[in-house]
Amino acid sequence: MANVTKRAAETTTVTAMTSLAELSYAVPAQFASAAYCSPSTISSWKCGANCNALPGFVTYGAGGDGSDIQYWYVGYDATHLNAIVVGHQGTNPSSLIADLTDLDIIFEKLDQTHFPGVPSTLEAHQGFLIAQSRPAAAVLSAVKAASAATGSKHVYIVGHSLGGAIALLDAVYLPLHLPGFTFSTSVFGLPRVGNPAFADYVDAHVTNFAHITNKLDPIPILPPRSLGYAHPSNEKHIVTTGTADGDWYACDGHDNTSVDCSTGAVPDILASHEADHDGPYGTIRMGC
């Protein structure tokens, strides 16, 4: 593991993470991987290796068809996170790359009924907003059911790829409808979701947030910044260079351009490696 260091990256810094800090994302990564499993197996928590790694989890809702509506689940983890967990499925990276490089990508303002009280300057990827909105009422209802049954008012939101984008929008949406709850969010292989105003809002209002990026994964550099997209802060990047291969770095600011962060490590899609999208994030590869 590299020693703790800081490097300049324009007006931002990069800090090598300790092994203990890296391990804090192992359980969230496992829950994000489980979101790829079908609702029928998730409902009984018999989804194979992912479920076996997280014994004792109790499911309070699961749905989606993996097509029009990404798989999702809500349950309570008393053993590892001591929280209500909300998980969202990702999608095939080749399909997502095509979607995110399409020149028809447009921004849409966040709907004030769905996201009450957010500033009108916030805009996000239209497709991601639609994907989050479809299961949102069912997810909210399941979180309320889990809270009523367990007494927990802490929610941990996870997702990978498209599921990460949905999870980030959930991290904006759920607190607006669940006053008195606390939230944590860890997402993996996150594409850019919104404009700089959206990224600023996430920084200011989404608590305990981290987005973990892996090596030369193309998804986090899409949609491109040239179209007005920006990542929020709190990136944790797994590097692929030299003796530091596999080490993690905490990247300060939006779209840190250090080579130890995703935006700097993958300057364009031709420099990317699609296989890095599924991991490993630590020891965990995404998928059921």
Side-chain angles (χ1 to χ4, degrees):
M1 180 69 215
N3 293 325
V4 174
T5 58
K6 289 190 176 181
R7 299 188 182 94
E10 298 182 338
T11 59
T12 58
T13 59
V14 175
T15 307
M17 294 171 59
T18 65
S19 297
L20 185 62
E22 295 172 13
L23 285 172
S24 69
Y25 297 104
V27 169
Q30 196 79 66
F31 275 118
S33 183
Y36 280 89
C37 301
S38 69
S40 61
T41 61
I42 288 289
S43 293
S44 58
W45 206 242
K46 294 179 179 178
C47 64
N50 287 312
C51 291
N52 293 341
L54 300 164
F57 187 75
V58 179
T59 307
Y60 287 89
D65 58 13
S67 179
D68 291 336
I69 301 176
Q70 299 302 113
Y71 294 157
W72 62 270
Y73 70 87
V74 174
Y76 183 65
D77 172 37
T79 304
H80 307 282
L81 298 177
N82 193 26
I84 298 166
V85 178
V86 177
H88 289 282
Q89 176 199 21
T91 191
N92 181 287
S94 296
S95 174
L96 191 55
I97 289 171
D99 290 344
L100 296 180
T101 54
D102 190 322
L103 294 179
D104 290 335
I105 289 172
I106 60 172
F107 280 119
E108 182 176 316
K109 291 186 180 298
L110 273 63
D111 178 80
Q112 288 290 315
T113 301
H114 196 64
F115 298 97
V118 300
S120 60
T121 53
L122 271 60
E123 297 180 333
H125 183 284
Q126 184 182 61
F128 295 158
L129 287 170
I130 292 170
Q132 187 274 336
S133 68
R134 287 173 173 163
V139 169
L140 178 60
S141 178
V143 171
K144 290 179 178 178
S147 180
T150 65
S152 177
K153 290 187 177 294
H154 182 63
V155 180
Y156 207 118
I157 310 168
V158 299
H160 168 251
S161 192
L162 172 58
I166 297 170
L168 177 54
L169 289 166
D170 260 7
V172 175
Y173 165 79
L174 288 172
L176 300 174
H177 298 273
L178 293 168
F181 282 63
T182 58
F183 295 86
S184 300
T185 304
S186 294
V187 295
F188 303 83
L190 178 72
R192 296 188 180 105
V193 174
N195 65 354
F198 177 84
D200 288 338
Y201 183 92
V202 171
D203 289 354
H205 297 281
V206 175
T207 58
N208 302 315
F209 170 72
H211 68 104
I212 297 88
T213 56
N214 186 49
K215 299 187 176 182
L216 302 181
D217 179 4
I219 298 301
I221 68 163
L222 299 171
R225 289 187 292 168
S226 61
L227 294 181
Y229 283 85
H231 270 305
S233 300
N234 296 311
E235 177 189 3
K236 317 299 182 187
H237 183 65
I238 304 167
V239 302
T240 187
T241 54
T243 58
D245 184 32
D247 284 353
W248 294 41
Y249 286 81
C251 301
D252 189 39
H254 298 178
D255 293 293
N256 192 314
T257 56
S258 165
V259 295
D260 290 326
C261 306
S262 180
T263 298
V266 192
D268 56 60
I269 198 73
L270 296 178
S272 70
H273 187 210
E274 185 182 313
D276 289 336
H277 184 55
D278 289 339
Y281 297 90
T283 61
I284 296 166
R285 285 193 175 274
M286 297 294 163
C288 189

